[in-house]
Amino acid sequence: MAYKVAHRGKVPPFIAMEVLRHANERAAAGHDVLHLEIGQPGSGAPRTVIEAAHRALDQETLGYTEALGLPVLRQRIARHYAEAYRAALDWKRVVITTGSSGGFLLAFLSAFDAGDRIALASPGYPAYRNILTALGLEPVELEVGPEHRFQPTPELLSRLKHPPDGLIVASPSNPCGTMLDRAHFEALLRYCRAHGIRVVSDEIYHGITYGMAATSATELEPEAIVINSFSKYYAMTGWRLGWMVVPASLLRSVESLAQNLFVSPQALPQHAARVAFDAKPELDAKVAHYAENRALLLRELPKAGFDRLAPADGAFYLFADIGHLTNDSTSFCEQMLDQTGVAATPGVDFDPARGHRFLRFSFAGSSEDIAAAARRLVAWRR
């Protein structure tokens, strides 16, 4: 007897992770690889975080925490919003999650019902679309481009036949790195408020910006759900720890869902993350490193024909229009990896309709790897 496979589980793969697997297979076969495909800081967690983890291993029981997370960590995060954004935030609205991924799952389940329509920019982070689909929600993709700085706008929302139930906003965004300045963010939130559109603000790249400060939805809209993570600015990717700022009206739903889905977030990373906010000098040095890598690629990639780049205001990606080089970004990236050892992610991961003519480079790795990748690509395209 053949058992069925549930339809909700038939979502597309996360292609960046597929590329990583192929790149690792190439490395295991004895070939060198330069990893520009994965959005992961090339250096590890701050020294003080690692020291705090060692102390916790020695001194703490590391049992279950509350489903919403350790109160002391939630309080420290609330203080962070006062320090970074001058936003007064009740610490009880802060929820610790298993990475930002756990936060998105809790946000979508608590705020929306099956069949609700959630708007999101395309190109955008593929897991938004795939998690929504798995939960029986309908992604409504807003095709954005250079004319919109690759961000959603009130005008794009107004073109929809019916207002969506929700909108996901990412500033800085993945894969483009573009940001909404405060005025445009305010205008977008004002439109959503007027039309009853619940905003989910993805702020996981806050702290990694180049010349423009990021605005948090916590400053502007108390009913927005804010998602953040220790993975990017705090360089704790493998620790799988994130947080949410939840409207008071949703807090009990989020708590009950978290109790049943996760029981509690991981204890060890919570104890260690308490000191991450005090490692700002070390973390800002990492951002300065990303800025150097970004400048290098902005200078060198056009020499290889990658001269149509989204304006990378933040994060650590360059999204390149390669329509003049290929109409098949997947095959192009495979060929590039095979012939140069440089791994990048095809744009179809982020935009199923138009991504065949785009690819994404990550510049979060070491300066040596980024410089070597640039040299290889220039030589390859000559």
Side-chain angles (χ1 to χ4, degrees):
M1 178 178 178
Y3 293 95
K4 75 173 186 179
V5 176
H7 178 73
R8 71 178 60 197
K10 296 179 180 178
V11 297
F14 191 170
I15 296 174
M17 301 307 293
E18 300 272 295
V19 176
L20 175 62
R21 177 165 54 82
H22 293 155
N24 288 340
E25 289 170 354
R26 173 185 167 88
H31 305 288
D32 71 331
V33 174
L34 298 172
H35 291 281
L36 276 69
E37 82 281 22
I38 198 74
Q40 173 172 272
S43 57
R47 176 185 51 81
T48 53
V49 169
I50 295 171
E51 292 171 352
H54 282 291
R55 286 196 300 274
L57 284 170
D58 291 335
Q59 300 171 12
E60 302 291 342
T61 303
L62 299 180
Y64 294 136
T65 70
E66 294 179 23
L68 299 182
L70 288 172
V72 67
L73 178 57
R74 296 165 65 196
Q75 291 163 7
R76 182 62 186 90
I77 290 171
R79 195 175 108 206
H80 163 70
Y81 280 90
E83 294 169 349
Y85 306 104
R86 297 183 181 178
L89 179 63
D90 182 352
W91 70 267
K92 294 180 180 178
R93 291 176 52 205
V94 177
V95 177
I96 310 303
T97 62
T98 305
S100 62
S101 301
F104 287 116
L105 186 60
L106 292 171
F108 298 158
L109 284 171
S110 64
F112 308 115
D113 288 315
D116 280 356
R117 301 165 63 251
I118 315 302
L120 63 163
S122 184
Y125 180 54
Y128 302 149
R129 183 176 61 245
N130 296 339
I131 295 172
L132 291 170
T133 300
L135 295 178
L137 301 165
E138 181 185 347
V140 178
E141 301 200 50
L142 305 172
E143 289 196 350
V144 297
E147 67 275 23
H148 314 106
R149 299 195 83 256
F150 294 93
Q151 288 285 350
T153 66
E155 180 189 6
L156 288 170
L157 289 170
S158 71
R159 294 178 190 172
L160 299 175
K161 187 174 181 181
H162 302 290
D165 299 284
L167 171 69
I168 302 170
V169 180
S171 175
S173 70
N174 177 12
C176 300
T178 59
M179 294 171 61
L180 289 163
D181 63 28
R182 189 180 185 90
H184 284 91
F185 202 5
E186 280 187 296
L188 184 62
L189 290 170
R190 189 163 52 246
Y191 179 93
C192 290
R193 190 181 310 119
H195 292 83
I197 302 169
R198 171 84 73 178
V199 171
V200 178
S201 182
D202 179 351
E203 302 182 2
I204 72 170
Y205 293 100
H206 276 216
I208 307 175
T209 61
Y210 313 105
M212 179 192 305
T215 299
S216 173
T218 56
E219 304 174 65
L220 304 170
E221 177 50 71
E223 288 301 312
I225 301 172
V226 172
I227 309 289
N228 210 319
S229 171
F230 289 96
S231 291
K232 307 302 182 179
Y233 175 70
Y234 300 96
M236 296 173 62
T237 313
W239 301 62
R240 306 312 304 136
L241 196 69
W243 75 83
M244 310 167 65
V245 178
V246 179
S249 58
L250 293 179
L251 188 56
R252 184 55 177 160
S253 294
V254 168
E255 182 176 24
S256 297
L257 285 163
Q259 290 169 342
N260 286 282
L261 289 173
F262 306 110
V263 181
S264 72
Q266 303 93 318
L268 178 60
Q270 290 190 71
H271 284 284
R274 290 166 50 187
V275 304
F277 299 96
D278 302 318
K280 196 172 186 304
E282 183 178 349
L283 295 170
D284 285 347
K286 294 179 190 289
V287 176
H289 163 74
Y290 305 145
E292 292 173 0
N293 287 351
R294 171 181 176 268
L296 187 152
L297 288 184
L298 288 174
R299 183 178 67 248
E300 297 298 322
L301 285 180
K303 299 176 185 178
F306 303 106
D307 55 357
R308 305 175 186 179
L309 304 170
D313 305 315
F316 33 57
Y317 307 113
L318 289 176
F319 198 56
D321 183 343
I322 55 171
H324 58 301
L325 303 176
T326 184
N327 200 39
D328 185 348
S329 60
T330 299
S331 294
F332 187 90
C333 287
E334 290 172 352
Q335 183 182 35
M336 187 167 70
L337 176 60
D338 182 58
Q339 296 182 7
T340 73
V342 177
T345 304
V348 289
D349 206 15
F350 312 102
D351 185 345
R354 301 172 296 162
H356 58 277
R357 56 174 294 161
F358 289 87
L359 65 77
R360 187 195 73 177
F361 294 106
S362 169
F363 51 84
S366 71
S367 296
E368 294 77 13
D369 282 356
I370 300 301
R375 288 194 299 270
R376 293 185 192 184
L377 294 175
V378 171
W380 182 54
R381 293 299 309 164
R382 279 180 177 163

